[in-house]
């Protein structure tokens, strides 16, 4: 089943994000290589794909896990959590309907 993982950034998280990004991306690449990643990306703080110094307000990951507990454990082990980028993370089951 798919699960959404939504991380909400702490204020002024950009420097923390930059430092932890390589390890964060490495984990996402592993999910992609396993065929389990539907989509992932950050929420820019401005109406731009490159917000520059404005940074980001959070992230969205939609990926396949066996159980909600597995998805939560994966989210809890994210380098952004360890680095203090996220103020909080929510994990919820997700039913993909479109595109079919």
């Amino acid at each position: 089943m798919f699960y959404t993982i939504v991380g909400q950034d702490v204020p002024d998280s950009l420097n923390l994000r930059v430092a932890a990004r390589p390890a964060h991306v490495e984990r996402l690449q592993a999910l992609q290589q396993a065929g389990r990643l539907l989509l992932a990306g950050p929420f820019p703080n401005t109406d731009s794909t490159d917000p520059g110094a404005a940074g980001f307000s959070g992230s969205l990951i939609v990926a396949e896990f066996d159980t909600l507990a597995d998805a939560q454990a994966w989210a809890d082990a994210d380098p952004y959590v360890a680095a203090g980028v996220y103020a909080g993370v929510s994990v919820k089951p997700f039913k993909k309907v479109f595109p079919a």
Side-chain angles (χ1 to χ4, degrees), residues 5 27 65 67-79 81 89 91:
I5 300 169
R27 294 178 82 234
F65 293 92
T67 66
L68 177 60
D70 290 342
Q72 185 69 60
W74 189 92
D76 290 345
D78 193 289
V81 171
V89 178
V91 180

Side-chain angles (χ1 to χ4, degrees), residues 23-76:
H24 173 77
V25 169
E26 184 177 324
R27 294 178 82 234
L28 291 170
Q29 288 171 332
L31 281 179
Q32 183 176 1
Q33 290 168 356
R36 297 172 41 206
L37 183 64
L38 185 62
L39 64 91
F43 300 119
N45 273 329
T46 62
D47 190 13
S48 171
T49 57
D50 181 6
F56 301 91
S57 64
S59 302
L60 169 66
I61 299 166
V62 181
E64 189 173 19
F65 293 92
D66 290 333
T67 66
L68 177 60
D70 290 342
Q72 185 69 60
W74 189 92
D76 290 345

